[in-house]
């Protein structure tokens, strides 16, 4: 079936509403995406029909709920082409996934004087967990600079690698500029020096194909809520060889094999890293989101999104006084900009009154704002339910707002 | 004019506009017209750093009345700063402490004074009241 934008929009009930008397134009998809009815229903139906704590149960509901929950692990495995569902660990989101790695990998493998490489375009969630680890373990953080165009300085990255480097942690796609980083090349470079790589896929998982075996990355993390799934669920993928060596960082139910006060043994993968009752209703919603994306043909979704992005970039260039922040050769889905000398807050406030949901500010990437010497940007971020008409309306609104703010 | 009368005057001025964009045009105009902030006061201690925008506030006691100066890097916030200064500046600490600010709600700008908005305005209003308390304490 061909990609029908009106049918797609009808699947997302929130999009039909008015804001401040104007039709909602939702362009804050890099912050979170909206949910199709099938996802909303899948989560609600857990509570209507099969709600029961998963695993360990002998009764019917618990078994059904566990089965549906574990099916999602398979779906995620297939979605990212992981070798095994044992390597798919459910978390609360990207942030928890990074914290899991920093805590478990950090405690197991890092020693004072070791180095970790991050980049200047990382979101705070891929900075602060490493800083906390650095304080605990006496580890040094190196930062790959970003060029004026918003790309990683790959030569600088190459020069940073040395015998003390223990890990590289990098965004697949920048949440501020939409830069698609050359993660395959980074992994190849790192592996040549036998250094593992974590890829923060929060902004990528729903916009580009993700194949963890093709990437050969050691870890890949993402959130459900940015890929049309419920909030509060995320994924941590890790290669078995690392996961087996890493100690769990949270203790509790499900992650244990045998508990006694003389010593506790841990469960097998993936459960070793899933302490406590997970958000199984949300995770079942994640399964529905994957089904939804597949039903609508991922290739077509990505093509449509990219065409829409190119269209928006081209149209927005015509707005007088607009300045783009980050114009990498490879970028997608996110456009950050400034309008003349206007403060992003003013632009965002006026756009809100015209029905547009955009984000303004530092986008939890303050080091990147410092890099460009700006307090923040206005960010339009797209999803496959956005339309060219919405882009046209945005351009009209930007011209109006630009005139008002002089 | 009392603080209450000044607030009623502001409400009257804004009541002419139904459309949000017109209200914001007026705010932008008020922001642009605000007396320039004395650069000597643009110091860390006078800065109220919201997540989204910055506000500067300076207060002095002159003849028993508080003279406020303010500024913001965002023009809409600066427009609201201008309104707050117009309503509260030139009044005694007691007057500032006794009066509730109702005009922001009335002209439909309540969202800008919500604690989640993080534009520095909530902290600015608190700081203005705190200055009133401090100057009152100093007067004894």
């Amino acid at each position: 079936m061909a990609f029908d934008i009106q049918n797609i929009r009808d699947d997302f009930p929130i999009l039909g509403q008015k804001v401040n008397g104007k039709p909602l134009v939702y362009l804050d998809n890099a912050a979170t995406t909206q949910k199709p009815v099938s996802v909303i229903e899948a989560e609600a139906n857990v509570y209507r029909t099969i709600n029961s704590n998963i695993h360990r149960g002998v009764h019917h509901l618990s078994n059904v709920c566990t089965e549906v929950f574990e099916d999602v692990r398979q779906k995620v495995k297939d979605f990212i082409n992981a070798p095994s569902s044992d390597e798919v660990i459910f978390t609360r989101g990207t942030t928890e996934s990074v914290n899991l790695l920093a805590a478990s990998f950090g405690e197991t493998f890092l020693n004072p004087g070791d180095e970790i490489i991050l980049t200047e375009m990382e979101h705070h969630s891929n900075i602060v967990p490493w800083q906390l680890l650095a304080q605990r373990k006496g580890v040094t953080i190196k930062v790959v600079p970003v060029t004026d165009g918003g790309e990683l300085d790959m030569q600088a990255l190459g020069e940073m690698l040395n015998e003390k480097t223990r890990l590289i942690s990098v965004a697949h796609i920048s949440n501020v500029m939409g830069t698609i980083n050359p993660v395959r090349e980074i992994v190849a470079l790192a592996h040549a020096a036998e250094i593992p790589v974590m890829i923060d896929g929060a902004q990528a998982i729903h916009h580009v194909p993700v194949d963890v075996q093709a990437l050969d990355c050691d870890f890949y993390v993402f959130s459900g809520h940015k890929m049309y799934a419920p909030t509060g669920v995320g994924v941590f993928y890790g290669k078995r060889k690392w996961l087996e060596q890493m100690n769990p960082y949270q203790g509790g139910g499900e992650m244990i094999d045998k508990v006694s006060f003389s010593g506790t043994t841990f469960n097998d993968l993936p459960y070793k890293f899933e302490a406590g009752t997970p958000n199984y209703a949300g995770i079942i919603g994640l399964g529905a989101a994957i089904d939804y994306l597949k039903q609508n043909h991922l290739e077509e979704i990505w093509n449509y999104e990219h065409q829409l992005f190119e269209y928006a970039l081209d149209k927005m260039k015509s707005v007088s006084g607009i300045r783009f922040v980050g114009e990498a050769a490879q970028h997608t889905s996110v456009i950050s900009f400034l309008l003349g000398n206007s403060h992003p807050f003013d632009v965002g406030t006026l756009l809100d009154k015209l029905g547009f949901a955009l984000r303004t500010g530092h986008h939890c990437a303050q080091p990147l704002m410092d890099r460009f010497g700006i307090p923040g940007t206005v960010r339009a971020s797209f999803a496959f339910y956005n339309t060219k008409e919405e882009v046209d309306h945005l351009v009209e609104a930007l011209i109006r707002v630009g005139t008002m703010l002089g | 004019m009392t603080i209450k009368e000044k607030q009623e005057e502001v409400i009257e001025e804004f009541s002419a506009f139904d459309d949000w964009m017109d209200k914001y045009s007026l705010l932008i105009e008020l922001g642009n017209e605000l007396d320039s902030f004395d650069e000597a006061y643009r110091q860390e201690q006078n800065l109220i750093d919201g997540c989204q925008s910055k506000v500067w506030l300076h207060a002095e006691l002159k003849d028993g009345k508080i003279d406020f100066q303010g500024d913001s890097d965002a023009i809409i916030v600066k427009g609201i700063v201008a309104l707050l200064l117009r309503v509260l500046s030139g009044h005694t600490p007691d007057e500032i402490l006794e009066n509730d600010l109702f005009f922001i709600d009335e002209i439909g700008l309540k969202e800008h004074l919500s604690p989640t908005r993080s534009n520095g305005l909530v902290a600015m209003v608190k700081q203005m009241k705190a200055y009133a308390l401090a100057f009152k304490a100093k007067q004894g």
Side-chain angles (χ1 to χ4, degrees), chain A residues 100-307:
Chain A
L100 190 167
L101 186 69
S104 289
F105 182 90
E107 287 303 325
T108 310
F109 294 110
L110 296 188
N111 294 301
D114 286 347
E115 294 178 1
I116 298 169
I117 296 178
L118 307 178
T119 86
E120 211 170 17
M121 69 169 80
E122 298 310 312
H123 184 268
H124 294 167
S125 294
N126 194 25
I127 299 175
V128 184
W130 303 111
Q131 289 176 326
L132 292 171
L133 175 70
Q135 284 169 10
R136 284 199 307 273
K137 302 282 281 193
V139 168
T140 304
I141 295 171
K142 296 277 187 81
V143 184
V144 180
V146 168
T147 65
D148 291 343
E151 294 174 327
L152 288 181
D153 182 340
M154 289 295 286
Q155 190 181 336
L157 192 159
E159 287 165 5
M160 276 177 194
L161 299 177
N162 64 47
E163 72 288 349
K164 289 182 284 184
T165 312
R166 292 288 171 270
L167 182 79
I168 299 174
S169 189
V170 58
H172 194 164
I173 294 182
S174 156
N175 75 310
V176 175
M177 306 177 295
T179 308
I180 305 174
N181 286 321
V183 285
R184 181 69 196 87
E185 290 84 337
I186 291 171
V187 172
L189 194 65
H191 284 183
E194 296 182 353
I195 297 161
V197 177
M198 187 207 92
I199 301 174
D200 171 356
Q203 298 295 338
I205 188 69
H206 53 314
H207 288 309
V208 294
V210 172
D211 178 333
V212 293
Q213 293 190 71
L215 289 170
D216 198 28
C217 56
D218 298 273
F219 307 99
Y220 197 97
V221 302
F222 57 93
S223 296
H225 74 97
K226 292 199 206 289
M227 56 178 296
Y228 318 102
T231 185
V233 303
V235 169
F236 174 89
Y237 158 79
K239 280 185 179 169
R240 185 187 293 274
K241 67 170 180 182
W242 296 112
L243 298 183
E244 281 179 345
Q245 295 177 72
M246 283 160 52
N247 285 323
Y249 91 118
Q250 287 181 340
E254 195 52 47
M255 52 77 71
I256 47 88
D257 171 36
K258 188 171 170 27
V259 176
S260 79
F261 283 105
S262 60
T264 291
T265 51
F266 303 124
N267 202 340
D268 295 330
L269 290 174
Y271 309 110
K272 183 169 100 173
F273 293 102
E274 292 180 356
T277 299
N279 179 2
Y280 52 86
I283 286 162
I284 291 168
L286 172 64
I290 290 173
D291 291 344
Y292 179 82
L293 289 170
K294 287 194 164 172
Q295 277 157 21
N296 285 288
H297 307 287
L298 286 161
E299 292 288 339
E300 288 188 36
I301 287 173
W302 294 327
N303 284 340
Y304 175 85
E305 279 183 347
H306 200 68
Q307 279 172 23

Side-chain angles (χ1 to χ4, degrees), chain A residues 343 346 353 360 400 404, chain B residues 21 25 52 73 75-76 111:
Chain A
H343 196 288
D346 293 322
K353 293 299 168 204
T360 64
R400 182 172 174 191
M404 274 178 78
Chain B
M21 296 309 264
S25 284
Q52 293 269 349
D73 56 349
I75 195 69
I76 290 170
E111 63 183 277

Side-chain angles (χ1 to χ4, degrees), chain A residues 74 77-78 80-88 211-213 237-240:
Chain A
Q74 284 294 328
K77 169 203 166 286
D78 293 342
I80 62 173
N81 194 32
S84 159
S85 60
D86 292 349
E87 297 167 311
V88 172
D211 178 333
V212 293
Q213 293 190 71
Y237 158 79
K239 280 185 179 169
R240 185 187 293 274

Side-chain angles (χ1 to χ4, degrees), chain B residues 3 72 76 95 99:
Chain B
I3 289 175
S72 174
I76 290 170
E95 287 167 345
N99 275 277

Side-chain angles (χ1 to χ4, degrees), chain A residues 315-389:
Chain A
K315 284 277 171 176
M316 287 168 75
K317 278 179 187 158
S318 70
V319 176
S320 159
I322 201 163
R323 278 190 291 150
F324 296 105
V325 178
E327 293 181 273
Q330 294 291 318
H331 69 156
T332 195
S333 75
V334 174
I335 300 176
S336 257
F337 61 94
L338 293 164
L339 212 48
N341 293 318
S342 300
H343 196 288
F345 177 84
D346 293 322
V347 178
T349 300
L350 294 176
L351 286 173
D352 170 55
K353 293 299 168 204
L354 293 170
F356 294 87
L358 279 80
R359 193 149 293 245
T360 64
H362 53 61
H363 314 296
C364 294
Q366 286 176 348
L368 188 66
M369 299 299 116
D370 294 343
R371 156 69 181 82
F372 286 105
I374 50 178
T377 72
V378 187
R379 182 183 72 182
S381 53
F382 301 88
F384 66 102
Y385 43 63
N386 291 124
T387 67
K388 286 185 177 175
E389 289 73 28

